[in-house]
Amino acid sequence: MLVLLGAFGYLLFVLSQDPEPVAPVAVTPQNKPKPKPQKALPPPPEEKWDYVESLPNREVEVKAKEQVVSDIPYIMQCGAYKSEQQAEARKLDIAFQGINSKIRKKENSSWYRVVLGPYKLKRDAERDKHKLQRAKIEPCAIWKETQ
């Protein structure tokens, strides 16, 4: 223990006797790159567009195609089934999408058809058809009703 304490004291003595460090000498690089002369920037271009001021005051008239309303309405059929239970199941699937449908049975036929409509515009029938397609209820066909 005494030896360690003595060694520690000697180390402190030696460190206190160290001379002050010498200030470093500044070294100048011999191959100093010369700065390139900067070219003056050209003036910014003048704004030749006036859309910022003109657009809020501008109105555009759009002419839409005239919708033809036919005397014969459109219907959409979304299935034809041999049993009435199958047709009722399809009608229920369609009802869950918020669309009304009917089951029709033609005379002298054993088929039950699930029919939607009548629609005055084909666009309305197409809208319902796309809604049913998104719900994976297909195929559905649209045509003019001939009764």
Side-chain angles (χ1 to χ4, degrees):
M1 187 75 152
L2 265 157
V3 174
L4 287 175
L5 192 56
F8 183 69
Y10 179 73
L11 181 65
L12 288 177
F13 175 75
V14 170
L15 289 177
S16 67
Q17 298 300 321
D18 254 353
E20 290 294 321
V22 180
V25 178
V27 178
T28 57
Q30 294 184 6
N31 293 337
K32 189 176 185 181
K34 295 182 181 179
K36 294 181 181 178
Q38 292 186 358
K39 296 179 183 177
L41 294 177
E46 290 185 25
E47 191 74 39
K48 61 181 179 179
W49 310 105
D50 63 345
Y51 59 87
V52 176
E53 291 86 20
S54 66
L55 278 181
N57 302 327
R58 188 169 194 161
E59 291 184 17
V60 177
E61 189 175 320
V62 177
K63 294 181 181 180
K65 290 183 181 178
E66 196 173 305
Q67 293 184 357
V68 179
V69 178
S70 175
D71 293 338
I72 303 171
Y74 291 93
I75 62 167
M76 179 167 43
Q77 179 176 322
C78 288
Y81 302 95
K82 275 293 200 180
S83 72
E84 190 173 2
Q85 290 81 16
Q86 289 174 320
E88 285 291 338
R90 176 53 61 107
K91 181 180 175 184
L92 185 64
D93 291 341
I94 293 170
F96 279 129
Q97 301 306 313
I99 303 171
N100 292 326
S101 60
K102 302 172 196 131
I103 297 176
R104 292 186 184 171
K105 184 175 185 223
K106 241 182 181 180
E107 292 181 24
N108 302 328
S109 176
S110 61
W111 289 92
Y112 296 90
R113 300 180 339 161
V114 180
V115 179
L116 289 78
Y119 299 97
K120 288 183 181 178
L121 299 173
K122 188 173 182 182
R123 173 184 279 176
D124 296 335
E126 290 286 344
R127 182 184 57 232
D128 284 349
K129 181 179 179 182
H130 291 300
K131 188 174 183 180
L132 293 172
Q133 282 177 339
R134 285 190 299 270
K136 306 288 189 236
I137 299 172
E138 47 188 348
C140 294
I142 302 170
W143 61 80
K144 289 190 177 188
E145 187 173 29
T146 56
Q147 284 186 346

